[in-house]
């Protein structure tokens, strides 16, 4: 049995809607959610990928890129723009949206990513951390962690007995790995925290937990805090 909607079945309703002038359809699509755009694509792929494809990409998918990554790390602002390299310049906004969404949702940090990111290290306040006064840059190279003022530490990515993703550094307590809301990473135990930062610039760091970037007076701006869904 064909389900009726306001006197028309679904197919008739869709055909009636898609028969509207292109400019009207584009205006509607500009307000469509990601889910709506996907459903429209499945109803009429010829319209969405052919006749109006490029224009829908510009008015709808570009907006979703901009709004979705507005509160993310600048790393994703760059990925959601049209001109950061020749290969991506010819990639649709829809493809960019899905690619960045997939990448930023990964919760397992692999060795290659660990070594390619820029990292900063600080002690927790209980372990002597003093915010910006004690934060330093560190580097993961090969199997070694380099922190200024300390000898090289051997490290390895591992899991604890409950299957939680973690970093083991020498004989220190396990450091647990968390994907932050802005898409960056935090690695921490009770004493220290490592945070990935875009382009080696602390001004790009939104992480404000555990006194990581407190100013000299120890004041904290709680409104800027990024929730760290701690798995400890």
């Amino acid at each position: 049995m064909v389900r009726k909607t306001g006197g028309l079945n679904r197919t008739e309703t869709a055909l009636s809607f898609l028969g509207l002038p292109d400019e009207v359809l584009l205006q509607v699509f500009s307000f469509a959610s990601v889910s709506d755009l996907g459903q429209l694509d499945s109803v009429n792929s010829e319209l969405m990928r052919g006749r109006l494809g490029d224009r829908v990409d510009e008015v709808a998918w570009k907006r979703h890129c901009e709004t979705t990554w507005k509160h993310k790390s600048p790393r994703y602002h760059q990925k959601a723009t049209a001109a950061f390299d020749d290969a991506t310049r010819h990639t649709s906004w829809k493809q960019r949206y899905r690619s960045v969404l997939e990448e930023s949702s990964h919760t397992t940090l692999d060795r290659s990513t660990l070594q390619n990111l820029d990292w900063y290290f600080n002690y927790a306040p209980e372990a002597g951390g003093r915010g910006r006064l004690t934060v330093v840059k560190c580097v993961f190279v090969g199997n070694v962690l380099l922190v200024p003022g300390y000898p090289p530490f051997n490290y390895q990515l591992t899991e604890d007995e409950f299957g939680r993703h973690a970093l083991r550094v020498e004989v220190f307590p396990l450091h647990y790995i968390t994907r932050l809301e802005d898409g960056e990473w935090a690695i921490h135990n009770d004493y220290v925290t490592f945070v990935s930062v875009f382009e080696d610039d602390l001004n790009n760091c939104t992480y404000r937990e555990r006194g990581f970037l407190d100013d000299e007076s120890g004041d904290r701006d709680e409104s800027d805090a990024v929730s760290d869904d701690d798995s400890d």
Side-chain angles (χ1 to χ4, degrees), residues 59-74:
V59 303
W61 287 106
K62 179 180 179 180
R63 176 177 65 84
H64 284 300
C65 281
E66 293 171 343
T67 57
T68 299
W69 308 122
K70 182 168 59 176
H71 302 295
K72 297 293 184 180
S73 162

Side-chain angles (χ1 to χ4, degrees), residues 15-89:
L15 291 174
S16 176
F17 170 73
L18 296 173
L20 293 171
D22 288 358
E23 294 305 320
V24 175
L25 288 174
L26 287 169
Q27 184 68 15
V28 173
F29 294 156
S30 69
F31 295 100
S33 68
V34 170
S35 176
D36 291 338
L37 290 170
Q39 291 179 8
L40 288 166
D41 195 18
S42 66
V43 169
N44 195 319
S45 60
E46 181 180 350
L47 174 73
M48 295 294 284
R49 301 174 196 173
R51 181 176 125 205
L52 293 180
D54 290 343
R55 299 173 73 186
V56 171
D57 193 60
E58 186 68 24
V59 303
W61 287 106
K62 179 180 179 180
R63 176 177 65 84
H64 284 300
C65 281
E66 293 171 343
T67 57
T68 299
W69 308 122
K70 182 168 59 176
H71 302 295
K72 297 293 184 180
S73 162
R75 188 183 312 280
Y76 298 104
H77 301 180
Q78 183 190 43
K79 289 187 178 184
T81 60
F84 59 90
D85 60 43
D86 289 339
T88 306
R89 188 174 297 121

